[in-house]
Amino acid sequence: MWFPDWSLGRPDAPQGESVLVVDQRVVAATSDLFEAGVRRGMPRREAEGLAPGSLVLVRDPGEEARRFEAVVLAIEEIVPRVEVAEPGLAFVPVKGAVSYYGDEDSLVETVAGKLDGTVRLGLADGPFAASWAARMAGPGGHLIVADTRGFLAGLDVSVLMGEGGGVESLIDTFRWLGVTTLGALADLPRQAIVSRFGDLGIGMHRLANGEDRKVHPRPIPPELAVEARFEEPLEIMDQVAFAARSLAARLMVGLHREGVSPHRVTVEVEAADGTVRSRVWRSSDPFTEQALADRVWWQLRAWVESDMAGGGVVRLRIDPTDISGDGRQLDLFDDATARMEAERALARAQALVGPDAVLQAAVQGGRMPSERVAWRRWGDEEGVLERDPSAPWPGATPSPAPALVPPEPRVIEVEWDGGIPTRVRLGSRWEPVLTWGGPWRLHGRWWRDEGASDRYQLVTSAGAFLCVYREGRTYLAGVYD
Amino acid sequence: MDRWDLSNKIERFVPGEDLLTLQPGRIVELEGPPGFGLTRLGYRMLADPSRQAHVVALDVRGWMSPLAAWEAGVDHDRLVVVRCGDPRLWAQVAAALCEGVRAVFAEVPAGVKDADIRKLAALARARSVRMALRPLKGGLATGVSYLRLRSVEIAWRGPEAGHGRLAGRRLVLEASGKGMAGMTRLIEVEEEGEDAVRVVPGLVVGEAGRAAG
């Protein structure tokens, strides 16, 4: 069930005016703004530029969750076990309900009859296909998908956007390979996808086949659920917010220790009057600590502000009901969220300084420190190395490597006395050479008219330097900083 | 007081390896001229965070060499070098990195405004970014860094009048700031070739100083 304009239903949104609800990006907009070119997900500034006279409201997901709670309760009267993905978007397993109501059409009509006319209903195998069925249903309509794989086959690969970190570049790669629809992707052999694109690729291939994320049937130890009891019932919103955040943090710490992360959690509260309420929140990406804390807080706020926690909250419990090894493994090897955030930050840095200034490197063979680094732009595939790092490279400059290496050797003034370095000019002053290592002869490539040179490690009281003496001049090749 | 009692007392004052470990949201300032071993120290600080996520070396001069970073223990695949020599752009780039990267070792070019560095420090604190700043000229303004490590002396071992090669070094640093409880102390850092940098225990010289940072 998807309410595309749920954010617009807030009480302070004036009727009959152009309204834009934004986060950092556009969350919702009135129809006239869509006609002006505004799109969901568009950057806020761009949208404001297209609709300069519109009223801009900053999204308040807590308030949206409070209003959405009434919708969820209405759905639960028809079908139990509603799972909320975000305010305005909820999923519900319908297998049992279809049997009860006779067929899918009757069920959908019953649900639609209970809800606001703006709801779009999609019925398909799995949340991914169902959410796209709802999107395709049109305003106030519904779409029942009989052949999920066939339905998905016609969708563009861009619908995979947001289904995992790093998927944007994967979509670009699919396009570059000529795979433009989910159908084309689904037709590729899974083994080929695994070997070429790894876990992320296999996840996208599963979605394209209408299989959704594979739920790992790993047991959930009961001690992973977290619970807090409060002697004084929590009625003040600040107290509730603090409790939500601290309990969410406790849950994530326990999950990190186990190397897992939740895709679905059940939030349960007990009110002072004995009422027990619970709600399931789900996410296609593993919940981060912040995302989980937000959802627990929205849910509690919805219950408390709607007087559904009579007398205040006396017990709060968060139960992970679907965990996987994806994502949050901060203390182990890699972290999908961290990788995604880092990629965004580096892309932003690239935009500021240019692609040639954001670099990664690989070690390669060579005799000078500058030769041993193979630079590439960040994001580019590691290419073929110019020099084999596994070759012996006799005469290579010994370690440790200088921490600073000029892109090209620079002339440095060194005073010599009978082949022995005595002084180095550093800026405006001369530093006496305390001791030195070398010379190590470096034979140039005679076929390129390169002469021989000698390398020295010069030690002064101001640091140590790697220098190259060639044809009567000394060059700085590195600083042991 | 016997000898063991004394050593225990010293050990409590010696921050040990913690000094060379970047803490989330706490700025470490590395102050000193080139050649005093501070770049390698900065790389060493990136080593631990690089086991979990990408780390960035923000290179002002275009001279930073990943070879030394790898020797210091930074993960090969997780080191990204961002080059930015423009002081007007530097703060923006550093701030963009703080938005998503967990650990940054940044050279600070001359000409960056104190206000920009303060804003950057506030952002790093808010985003719990591990950050080491190495100003190329002078030091950072008071209050920016949690720990200031100023190089005092460097001594190399290995070469002797043409024989041998650089094998190890001892670096004397003056540590001050909130991370040292407002006191100023001298510490010695020893590095043996390709081995990780380590603080030499028991060689801290206590020195009364004014609270800073």
Side-chain angles (χ1 to χ4, degrees):
Chain A
M1 285 141 282
W2 183 45
F3 294 83
D5 297 326
W6 189 255
S7 300
L8 286 175
R10 53 197 285 174
D12 58 343
Q15 298 293 321
E17 279 188 36
S18 301
V19 179
L20 198 60
V21 181
V22 295
D23 206 329
Q24 292 301 317
R25 290 174 177 270
V26 174
V27 177
T30 46
S31 54
D32 57 319
L33 297 185
F34 282 121
E35 285 166 17
V38 173
R39 295 285 174 269
R40 285 189 190 88
M42 179 181 274
R44 174 182 176 169
R45 284 188 181 176
E46 195 179 335
E48 286 175 344
L50 288 168
S54 61
L55 176 67
V56 179
L57 299 172
V58 177
R59 189 186 189 192
D60 180 359
E63 191 278 334
E64 291 175 20
R66 182 187 63 76
R67 285 188 289 116
F68 198 56
E69 182 61 21
V71 175
V72 176
L73 287 174
I75 301 167
E76 272 186 333
E77 288 178 13
I78 306 164
V79 193
R81 295 166 56 204
V82 178
E83 296 177 6
V84 183
E86 60 179 81
L89 178 66
F91 297 93
V92 63
V94 296
K95 196 174 176 185
V98 168
S99 307
Y100 181 80
Y101 286 95
D103 56 35
E104 291 165 341
D105 287 308
S106 308
L107 172 65
V108 167
E109 279 168 23
T110 310
V111 172
K114 273 269 189 183
L115 300 177
D116 183 302
T118 61
V119 68
R120 300 184 187 196
L121 298 172
L123 201 148
D125 298 335
F128 175 71
S131 65
W132 277 100
R135 281 176 169 84
M136 308 290 274
H142 64 266
L143 181 63
I144 299 171
V145 177
D147 173 15
T148 298
R149 197 172 184 277
F151 164 71
L152 291 173
L155 298 181
D156 189 88
V157 285
S158 61
V159 301
L160 296 171
M161 197 78 81
E163 293 295 326
V167 77
E168 292 169 25
S169 58
L170 186 61
I171 291 170
D172 288 342
T173 309
F174 285 150
R175 285 196 193 287
W176 184 75
L177 292 170
V179 179
T180 55
T181 63
L182 294 190
L185 176 59
D187 288 341
L188 294 173
R190 186 159 291 181
Q191 193 56 42
I193 292 283
V194 174
S195 59
R196 176 67 178 80
F197 301 111
D199 284 347
L200 185 60
I202 200 74
M204 299 305 112
H205 193 256
R206 292 187 70 87
L207 289 178
N209 276 287
E211 297 174 37
D212 257 310
R213 188 181 66 82
K214 185 181 182 183
V215 175
H216 299 270
R218 57 196 302 173
I220 301 174
E223 67 270 18
L224 283 181
V226 290
E227 187 174 287
R229 289 179 179 275
F230 312 105
E231 286 185 15
E232 291 291 321
L234 306 182
E235 289 184 283
I236 301 169
M237 293 312 293
D238 287 347
Q239 293 175 330
V240 175
F242 181 76
R245 294 206 178 276
S246 56
L247 205 60
R250 250 177 64 194
L251 176 70
M252 295 306 280
V253 168
L255 292 172
H256 286 169
R257 207 175 291 129
E258 296 286 325
V260 295
S261 50
H263 286 261
R264 194 162 50 182
V265 294
T266 303
V267 182
E268 184 180 280
V269 297
E270 185 177 340
D273 63 4
T275 314
V276 176
R277 296 190 183 278
S278 69
R279 176 72 59 236
V280 176
W281 284 80
R282 67 171 296 136
S283 169
S284 56
D285 282 338
F287 280 117
T288 61
E289 185 177 320
Q290 182 66 43
L292 180 63
D294 282 346
R295 276 145 187 86
V296 175
W297 157 235
W298 298 343
Q299 188 58 59
L300 291 181
R301 183 178 162 189
W303 281 327
V304 171
E305 286 189 351
S306 310
D307 292 330
M308 294 164 73
V313 176
V314 294
R315 184 174 64 85
L316 171 60
R317 181 184 172 87
I318 311 175
D319 216 338
T321 50
D322 174 10
I323 58 177
S324 79
D326 298 343
R328 304 287 294 177
Q329 293 191 354
L330 277 176
D331 298 325
L332 293 173
F333 308 107
D334 205 351
D335 172 9
T337 309
R339 195 170 59 238
M340 197 165 61
E341 288 175 354
E343 282 172 0
R344 282 188 192 141
L346 290 167
R348 171 90 178 116
Q350 267 186 331
L352 288 167
V353 294
D356 292 329
V358 181
L359 304 165
Q360 278 197 289
V363 67
Q364 64 177 0
R367 293 183 174 84
M368 293 299 291
S370 57
E371 294 173 349
R372 294 193 55 207
V373 178
W375 292 102
R376 67 178 188 275
R377 286 176 176 181
W378 176 78
D380 283 0
E381 291 287 321
E382 195 173 324
V384 179
L385 296 175
E386 201 179 325
R387 304 179 191 89
D388 181 6
S390 60
W393 295 102
T397 306
S399 63
L404 298 174
V405 175
E408 295 295 330
R410 294 186 167 205
V411 174
I412 183 172
E413 284 187 67
V414 178
E415 215 171 66
W416 301 85
D417 182 6
I420 296 172
T422 54
R423 292 200 303 173
V424 181
R425 189 181 178 95
L426 299 174
S428 59
R429 69 182 195 281
W430 286 91
E431 282 286 339
V433 175
L434 302 176
T435 185
W436 75 97
W440 298 293
R441 178 49 64 102
L442 191 63
H443 294 285
R445 287 167 286 195
W446 54 265
W447 62 93
R448 287 191 187 178
D449 289 335
E450 289 176 1
S453 53
D454 288 320
R455 287 161 293 165
Y456 290 84
Q457 288 175 331
L458 306 185
V459 179
T460 71
S461 60
F465 308 94
L466 176 68
C467 297
V468 175
Y469 182 82
R470 186 169 56 230
E471 295 167 359
R473 300 186 87 172
T474 310
Y475 298 87
L476 178 68
V479 182
Y480 292 92
D481 186 30
Chain B
M1 185 184 290
D2 63 22
R3 188 172 169 229
W4 285 109
D5 281 341
L6 181 62
S7 111
N8 288 343
K9 287 266 182 205
I10 291 171
E11 203 60 40
R12 274 202 292 278
F13 280 118
V14 177
E17 291 282 337
D18 286 350
L19 263 183
L20 303 183
T21 304
L22 291 176
Q23 308 289 334
R26 291 177 168 172
I27 309 283
V28 175
E29 177 185 353
L30 301 172
E31 186 194 337
F36 273 74
L38 295 175
T39 301
R40 201 175 182 94
L41 210 57
Y43 291 151
R44 162 67 178 78
M45 291 175 174
L46 291 180
D48 277 348
S50 75
R51 293 192 190 108
Q52 296 173 354
H54 278 97
V55 295
V56 169
L58 182 49
D59 183 2
V60 168
R61 296 168 288 191
W63 283 36
M64 282 190 174
S65 170
L67 268 187
W70 297 330
E71 282 181 2
V74 178
D75 188 286
H76 279 229
D77 298 326
R78 294 208 178 103
L79 174 68
V80 181
V81 177
V82 177
R83 289 178 176 161
C84 177
D86 183 348
R88 290 164 300 177
L89 202 57
W90 181 89
Q92 283 183 55
V93 174
L97 294 172
C98 279
E99 291 287 341
V101 178
R102 300 274 169 89
V104 178
F105 165 47
E107 292 181 330
V108 183
V112 177
K113 292 177 187 167
D114 283 350
D116 287 342
I117 294 183
R118 285 186 196 285
K119 279 187 229 166
L120 180 68
L123 182 64
R125 278 193 290 274
R127 303 282 301 182
S128 296
V129 177
R130 294 167 165 85
M131 181 172 261
L133 293 179
R134 200 254 166 105
L136 295 183
K137 190 175 178 189
L140 300 180
T142 308
V144 171
S145 58
Y146 176 78
L147 176 68
R148 171 178 286 178
L149 297 174
R150 190 175 68 81
S151 59
V152 176
E153 188 185 318
I154 186 167
W156 282 92
R157 285 185 293 104
E160 193 62 47
H163 300 286
R165 59 181 177 84
L166 294 178
R169 65 179 179 181
R170 273 175 179 266
L171 181 63
V172 179
L173 299 166
E174 185 187 272
S176 60
K178 287 179 193 164
M180 299 298 290
M183 301 169 82
T184 303
R185 296 186 183 282
L186 291 179
I187 62 164
E188 283 198 5
V189 177
E190 190 175 79
E191 186 196 339
E192 294 290 338
E194 292 184 11
D195 294 342
V197 176
R198 65 188 173 90
V199 173
V200 178
L203 290 174
V204 170
V205 180
E207 185 182 295
R210 294 180 62 189

